[in-house]
Amino acid sequence: MADVKRVVLAYSGGLDTSVILKWLQTTYGCEVVTFTADLGQGEELEPARKKAELLGIKPEHIFIEDVREEFVSDYVFPMFRANALYEGLYLLGTSIARPLIAKKQIEIARKVGGDAVSHGATGKGNDQVRFELSYYALEPEIKIIAPWREWDLRSREQLIAFAESHQIPIAKDKRGEAPFSVDANLLHSSSEGKVLEDPAVEAPEFVYQRTIAPEDAPDRPAYITVGFEKGDAVSIDGEALSPASLLTRLNALGKENGIGRLDLVENRFVGMKSRGVYETPGGTILLKAHRGIESITLDRGAAHLKDEIMPRYAELIYNGFWFSPEREMLQALIDKSQEMVTGDVRLKLYKGNVEVVGRSSPYSLYNQDLVTFEEGAVAYDHRDAAGFIKLNALRLRTLGSRARKIGG
Amino acid sequence: MADVKRVVLAYSGGLDTSVILKWLQTTYGCEVVTFTADLGQGEELEPARKKAELLGIKPEHIFIEDVREEFVSDYVFPMFRANALYEGLYLLGTSIARPLIAKKQIEIARKVGGDAVSHGATGKGNDQVRFELSYYALEPEIKIIAPWREWDLRSREQLIAFAESHQIPIAKDKRGEAPFSVDANLLHSSSEGKVLEDPAVEAPEFVYQRTIAPEDAPDRPAYITVGFEKGDAVSIDGEALSPASLLTRLNALGKENGIGRLDLVENRFVGMKSRGVYETPGGTILLKAHRGIESITLDRGAAHLKDEIMPRYAELIYNGFWFSPEREMLQALIDKSQEMVTGDVRLKLYKGNVEVVGRSSPYSLYNQDLVTFEEGAVAYDHRDAAGFIKLNALRLRTLGSRARKIGG
Amino acid sequence: MADVKRVVLAYSGGLDTSVILKWLQTTYGCEVVTFTADLGQGEELEPARKKAELLGIKPEHIFIEDVREEFVSDYVFPMFRANALYEGLYLLGTSIARPLIAKKQIEIARKVGGDAVSHGATGKGNDQVRFELSYYALEPEIKIIAPWREWDLRSREQLIAFAESHQIPIAKDKRGEAPFSVDANLLHSSSEGKVLEDPAVEAPEFVYQRTIAPEDAPDRPAYITVGFEKGDAVSIDGEALSPASLLTRLNALGKENGIGRLDLVENRFVGMKSRGVYETPGGTILLKAHRGIESITLDRGAAHLKDEIMPRYAELIYNGFWFSPEREMLQALIDKSQEMVTGDVRLKLYKGNVEVVGRSSPYSLYNQDLVTFEEGAVAYDHRDAAGFIKLNALRLRTLGSRARKIGG
Amino acid sequence: MADVKRVVLAYSGGLDTSVILKWLQTTYGCEVVTFTADLGQGEELEPARKKAELLGIKPEHIFIEDVREEFVSDYVFPMFRANALYEGLYLLGTSIARPLIAKKQIEIARKVGGDAVSHGATGKGNDQVRFELSYYALEPEIKIIAPWREWDLRSREQLIAFAESHQIPIAKDKRGEAPFSVDANLLHSSSEGKVLEDPAVEAPEFVYQRTIAPEDAPDRPAYITVGFEKGDAVSIDGEALSPASLLTRLNALGKENGIGRLDLVENRFVGMKSRGVYETPGGTILLKAHRGIESITLDRGAAHLKDEIMPRYAELIYNGFWFSPEREMLQALIDKSQEMVTGDVRLKLYKGNVEVVGRSSPYSLYNQDLVTFEEGAVAYDHRDAAGFIKLNALRLRTLGSRARKIGG
């Protein structure tokens, strides 16, 4: 077992990380420093402070920070510039939050002279990988304690027993086994486990926490306009909003229109398939809007190149390689494309649907004159198409001649 | 002007191709052979035969064929195995029909001794490219006549005038200028031009022909189960269906649930952006269903490789390269992955939404034991994750050490 | 420690694997079955049999097989169809042999009722990964024993001491520490470690075992003609040869002309960089020859697609994923392209250089008429180029107009 | 025919472009402005000035510029950062020069109020595309005159006759038909046509102009050290050199050691195959050296990503899309990777061979401690490999189990 003096723990204030806190103290005999972030998960942070104090953490070792703006502007928005979807569908809501938490922990470790970091992710999931790859990339010699891989607590009962024997307060509703586990931040909520484990069975309605059902959404569509500057959303219906405020607003709009639910079986980086239910109300709107503004401001060459590298980029984020040179290289490519991605997108929100119904931009590449059926003054001669086709066909004709020669 | 003896024309029976038919006769002094296909566009074919006869085509030179089954089994289904989306959104409904029509024209040309083929696609669109690349690939020495690039008819009025002066009957409702142009087949309907040309303005409801509005769809969700074998849909709710029958059924389900509308600004191969409205009711369901069955039957390595090559594959089809070695190579890759893509997907259809709510397969790779929180008999040791992470992190740590060395 | 009854060991007859053999017997108390393959490494196999007998292996548990033909036809040739190079330079000589050895071990385990397999690869290299991924893919429940990761022998001295204390005969020249370690098979020899570890220092001449130095090669070039059928080499100078015989012949030609040396720093899958010296005399010739025949028989679309996926394919093989769906999918794509890759390539071999100087094929796509400066009867109209360029330029012109509008 | 007032011609001073100059004057009745660039092609430029004057060009309309430094620093070096090879072999020597010439022509057109540009590239080659895409990208409304596609001069004889009838001086050795055509600049010389047109026949020695034959090179190897900073070569044997001076020096070294010859059948963008002989002495050394320094300074993730996008990047340059958003996006990705690509590479040059024999860097990622056989203080635990392999194998084992279940 590593010799640890001071460990920075990603601490939510919940039962699990409170048990971890105590376990770290008793097992490693080390000082614990807690970091609790407001990522928009929708929970009060002060209870976490109180609980940390109760568990003996020194006040100057309790770090609580509202990182919502940083989360959206430096992580969520760069990712959305890429239209990133993992396995064609998943908006990466959990994946994108982990590097930020890890970075904060490392920064605190440097500040307080910590020699280790710890997290509450389990040994079968992706999050342990995301946390730890980030830790190592930022601080290669840091010690990492992953309690779920180390201790011998093997069930909920044992966890509760440990808590009780160490005077850790347990909220009444946390005594029983939760029917599924949840992760939440400003971008999304995910649910998995237990009642969701059979992929053949529809997810029960009570799993959803962040959105109302499409069936319960208003009978009339809502229309909104999202403004973009250089690839990032900056306003809703003309009102300029900070990144986190904007996403919060979109979340509200998505929620009330039943938008952003996803029931998915995905492939984890650690090698197995798992089934999750995701709710990404604002992000689902944002993705559609971003593709909408790109559709008139991005050149075909740029757009197709982005589409081709996107699955790779999404996979890197999913697997935890945010702080890797290849993610940064892809980001440079993506960001380079966004310089003119500026303008407005009008969207219709209706019972789970988000549809782009209008787009406009001072930098639009859409040229009505070019498209119009009648030939005009513009530089498009129908006869050019003949040459274009004939040279594109030349190699196919050569192939066709060979095929016929052989066939005959 | 090429010396043409006998030309095989893709003939719809409508005004445009009737004018072309006559124009070919009068301009080239050649015999015209017509080919009219039932691709599921929802129009009677017999009127086309009558009209062709009226325009002087010999009965033995009038070819009318129901190609719906071939269309779905040999073109639509192979494409759906790839989850193909052009520019992230478009299901390629028009693109995928062109190679089949071209192939039939070439086959007829061989049968009747034709030395040329002709089509009614305009000089600014993608379809001319798709037709002609296919013609050339299959019959490299064929002559191609593209009237819209050659003649001097430059407006609807001139077209009507030509028709009148050549005794071509004009349906009453075709006299005026249509407010937009339409292409339809069993997979989709597309609308573009005129009222749709300003991408900032919402498409009017009357543009939609194939689907009812989500707002008008039933207030209760419909549930269906689509069965797959080796990547292709084979049944609905347990009833085995031929490819075309299955797609027809899905179209009806999509239509009545307001599913499959898309309003898009896309990049044409010929270089400009255009705005189109697509309705792909059955295809939209099929794509979701196919991803659903793949999610439990496809390995991660296979799934991610498919996702990475998909944009390229879709671009090839969009650009008209169906009959190219690179499309065939990609198809070989895709088809290789589909051998175990067999099973059932349960879907919820509701007012424009299609959601996968269940999947099952005799070949499922989803392993509940592996996912379960509690550690069991299965071959997953939590401690393996530590080694996995540490070796994945090794290069990042080396990079981090370098960064710190330089920084210091 | 796993309970093992009968383990199939990849056994070379050398000191290391003899120590492993004994260690398996004494540590696991299990029966050892040996597998020794002739992969063209250039060593007698009978001594391995004798040594195995001496170490107490039952005759019916000693498996010795000449797998050279299978190695070349089922592993080397498919890989060369892809023109595979890892990190732009490495011909994957070691990587490609591991899956075959693993497959044979699994087959033997099934035959003799073995419940485990074992290999002599160290804990820092790629080979352990390649062996074990292959074992697991072919026999998911097999037990794997990797002695180098398990035992506490930490130096050459300890190994020798173990050997002596267990009556394992030690060849005189194996007593001392070798100045570098070697892997060899019909495709290549690799050397690494010790004297090669400083990447700034030139590899000493004595490291090279398979090739003479270019300086020592004949002063006159040799010319050879390699014949291909469907992407695989089938003859040299008109003489039909089996795969292994052909590669053997090319190796001799390469060796005597100083061809195929490579001094490389590469990135291992396990995360660190290593420096190796490779000698691939025949393979170096084969790669050039294969690209030569492809240059006239492969269409551009096919060739470029192959080039784009090649690094991915090479990485999979390097990392040990030969028996993975994604490698098989890429192989399907590659193989699809090779149907017409038939013909002859003439090569000049001279002091380390291999140059293609001529290529011919019954299926050549090279069309002298098309290239000739003077315009001829063929279907290439110079004016087509104008249209081709103008439509390719259209989007760039639109971008240029936007840039000017903004700039102004 | 376009109405042209003042055309900027890419003028070499040779017979062809002199005929074009005169043809432009007589056919379009326009003023001709000449641009002659020193790209390192090894020809005097003053004769071009004299000839232009003789043909009636005003002195202020004769532009002659030494662009060698710009060529190497802004075009060649960025391209070499990518290790760009077209079709696996071609160093793109011709392709990379065209955008620069086009850019200069456009700049001159703006300066002198030109409304058109013209070049001497033929109607079957790639260069017309490269010139014209660049013109259009930079100046979308420019008129382009491509005489070889327009005029009716169809043979060398007609060209000579035109020259004679217009008092264009003809160098004695230009009267006869050249046995092949040549393009040259500081990066390479290419030869094609006539004696090279049969790809089965070895290129005659007299075709080579830039390199001596390996057979004629010195019998002793030369060793050099190339220094790099941020991906670009900056010194040879410790002597700092400007980009063009450095490439000139490498060319001399390559030439005298018989390095950089390539005999290739390639696929042109316009659709046919052609055979060319390239000589890129300095570039061939530079590519090897660059890969050498990258091998110790670039992380695996970065290196593999670069390798995967390289064929695409090379294709863009080959096809003439230097001034496209997608090339610039890829460049951003590549440049991002080069920040630490600094250090020295030692190379051995010998009779056509270039081999990296040593590399060192202050930013080396090569870690001798990690590689060493014996386990040391460093953070690599052999047992980590077990976990790494087991999780990488997990999906393959799941696949294997399914295969066995089905098989059984």
Side-chain angles (χ1 to χ4, degrees), chain C residues 161-325:
Chain C
F162 183 99
E164 285 176 338
S165 71
H166 289 84
Q167 284 78 49
I168 300 170
I170 305 168
K172 246 188 194 159
D173 61 336
K174 298 289 175 182
R175 289 228 151 241
E177 184 96 50
F180 55 93
S181 67
V182 174
D183 175 68
N185 60 47
L186 198 54
L187 181 54
H188 95 335
S189 296
S190 76
S191 307
E192 58 180 25
K194 307 285 175 197
V195 302
L196 294 170
E197 278 185 3
D198 183 349
V201 174
E202 186 168 2
E205 182 61 27
F206 66 77
V207 163
Y208 295 97
Q209 325 196 325
R210 231 5 209 287
T211 52
I212 62 171
E215 290 90 330
D216 298 331
D219 288 328
R220 297 194 154 200
Y223 284 86
I224 60 166
T225 296
V226 179
F228 284 87
E229 261 173 41
K230 302 194 177 200
D232 293 339
V234 295
S235 68
I236 296 178
D237 292 334
E239 181 185 354
L241 292 164
S242 73
S245 309
L246 187 141
L247 186 50
T248 304
R249 184 81 62 89
L250 286 183
N251 278 336
L253 287 160
K255 174 182 187 168
E256 70 197 31
N257 288 290
I259 288 165
R261 294 180 166 194
L262 174 67
D263 176 340
L264 185 70
V265 175
E266 80 201 43
N267 294 291
R268 288 191 187 157
F269 186 30
V270 290
M272 79 278 281
K273 289 180 181 293
S274 73
R275 193 259 197 107
V277 160
Y278 299 108
E279 295 166 86
T280 322
T284 301
I285 300 172
L286 190 57
L287 175 67
K288 280 275 175 85
H290 186 257
R291 275 211 175 266
I293 190 64
E294 283 194 339
S295 75
I296 57 166
T297 55
L298 260 197
D299 166 70
R300 184 184 72 204
H304 289 203
L305 179 55
K306 281 190 69 206
D307 280 350
E308 285 185 45
I309 59 94
M310 184 276 280
R312 189 69 175 298
Y313 176 87
E315 185 185 64
L316 286 170
I317 293 177
Y318 184 86
N319 289 354
F321 289 91
W322 180 263
F323 295 114
S324 72

Side-chain angles (χ1 to χ4, degrees), chain B residues 13-15 51 156 160 163-164 168-179:
Chain B
L15 176 61
K51 208 155 173 190
R156 191 84 196 154
I160 303 270
E164 284 176 340
I168 299 171
I170 307 169
K172 246 189 194 160
D173 61 338
K174 298 288 174 182
R175 289 226 153 242
E177 185 95 49

